[in-house]
Amino acid sequence: FNHGEARVLKHLPDALCDAPLWWSNMIEEKPCDVCLRSNASKLGPTGHLPTDEGLMFGDIWHVSVPELFVGHNVTVGFTHAKTGFVKSVRVRGKGDAHEAFEITLAYFNATARPITWLHVDNAEELKGTKVLQVARAKNIRITTTTVATGRKNRQEPQWRVLAGITRAHLEGGLVP
């Protein structure tokens, strides 16, 4: 659960209707496997990035192995600049990034943190086409990073952390 603290994770059954109560007894107050192996990357870039309330960073992560049940192999991730909260949505392909964008916008609107600015890398599926249409309809400004410069998008370092956690869970589950 993204390096969540045990004291916070113990309240998960209170927040979710399908989490059994016994689940909170299984949480141990110790570092996760990724932390113990010291291969969890530092979250966030170095330097200073804007932390405006309405700003959200976005990026796309494509994996070659599709999900087991629905076949999605693209994850569109967003990081809220002010809170650092990460929201990711799985979609069928890169052309469906606008669906993930709309779901994430609905989430942040529901939490009283409306998005007014989206900062992405130069991926066409995030800065143009259908995402651009959604952004125009909702009066959201889209900015992009400078070509060939890294560490300008708070979402990008999240992928290494998520991949490390996923690998640890797959190894622990003895999946062939």
Side-chain angles (χ1 to χ4, degrees), residues 21-33:
L21 291 175
W22 57 262
W23 187 83
S24 61
N25 295 331
M26 296 179 59
I27 298 172
E28 300 173 351
E29 187 75 49
K30 65 179 186 178
C32 72
D33 187 52

Side-chain angles (χ1 to χ4, degrees), residues 155-174:
Q155 178 59 33
E156 290 174 355
Q158 299 290 343
W159 300 133
R160 287 183 59 203
V161 174
L162 292 174
I165 292 169
T166 302
R167 270 192 302 278
H169 287 308
L170 288 173
E171 290 171 5
L174 304 176

Side-chain angles (χ1 to χ4, degrees), residues 6 28 32 36 43 46 60 80-81 121 125 131 149 152 158:
E28 300 173 351
C32 72
L36 291 174
L43 293 181
T46 58
I60 288 186
H80 188 250
D121 57 14
E125 47 281 335
V131 172
T149 58
K152 303 293 185 221
Q158 299 290 343

Side-chain angles (χ1 to χ4, degrees), residues 6-175:
R7 65 177 181 80
V8 175
L9 291 177
K10 285 184 184 279
H11 294 288
L12 199 57
D14 300 331
L16 301 174
C17 63
D18 60 346
L21 291 175
W22 57 262
W23 187 83
S24 61
N25 295 331
M26 296 179 59
I27 298 172
E28 300 173 351
E29 187 75 49
K30 65 179 186 178
C32 72
D33 187 52
V34 176
C35 294
L36 291 174
R37 291 180 190 203
S38 299
N39 64 358
S41 60
K42 178 183 174 187
L43 293 181
T46 58
H48 298 284
L49 290 173
T51 58
D52 297 27
E53 178 64 43
L55 171 60
M56 179 171 70
F57 295 94
D59 196 26
I60 288 186
W61 187 28
H62 181 270
V63 293
S64 57
V65 179
E67 273 185 338
L68 181 63
F69 298 109
V70 293
H72 296 172
N73 61 350
V74 172
T75 303
V76 184
F78 299 97
T79 301
H80 188 250
K82 186 74 171 179
T83 62
F85 181 78
V86 177
K87 177 80 174 141
S88 60
V89 179
R90 297 296 302 262
V91 292
R92 224 173 255 297
K94 290 183 177 183
D96 297 327
H98 67 285
E99 295 174 5
F101 183 49
E102 289 186 277
I103 290 169
T104 306
L105 288 177
Y107 173 81
F108 281 110
N109 282 334
T111 59
R113 294 186 179 274
I115 301 302
T116 58
W117 177 13
L118 174 64
H119 186 76
V120 297
D121 57 14
N122 286 290
E124 188 61 36
E125 47 281 335
L126 287 176
K127 69 176 184 175
T129 62
K130 295 177 183 176
V131 172
L132 181 61
Q133 293 171 2
V134 172
R136 282 185 180 159
K138 299 184 183 297
N139 201 22
I140 296 171
R141 174 176 59 156
I142 297 178
T143 57
T144 60
T145 58
T146 307
V147 178
T149 58
R151 307 279 227 182
K152 303 293 185 221
N153 188 335
R154 278 183 70 182
Q155 178 59 33
E156 290 174 355
Q158 299 290 343
W159 300 133
R160 287 183 59 203
V161 174
L162 292 174
I165 292 169
T166 302
R167 270 192 302 278
H169 287 308
L170 288 173
E171 290 171 5
L174 304 176
V175 176

